[in-house]
Amino acid sequence: EGGKRVVAVAIVANAASPTPPCGRCRQMIAEFAAPETPVRSRAPSGEEARYTAGELLPHAFGREFL
């Protein structure tokens, strides 16, 4: 739809507790979102974990290195 930036990431998994994103997803988040972008993971119980993109993948290889 013409969007140019990621403003937030939501993860919902059918698990007992909030599930963090996998390594591949973390790399995609690092490439397309700013380090301060909020990332929220929620379980069906309503329990939630909160991160920033930078916390999930510190020292990420991003476009600034190209």
Side-chain angles (χ1 to χ4, degrees), residues 9-53:
V9 177
I11 302 160
V12 179
N14 190 16
S17 60
T19 304
C22 71
R24 180 179 223 164
C25 290
R26 290 175 194 226
Q27 182 61 40
M28 296 298 285
I29 292 168
E31 289 180 26
F32 294 102
E36 63 275 1
T37 300
V39 179
R40 305 291 183 260
S41 176
R42 184 173 288 183
S45 66
E47 183 182 353
E48 182 178 83
R50 296 172 172 247
Y51 317 96
T52 65

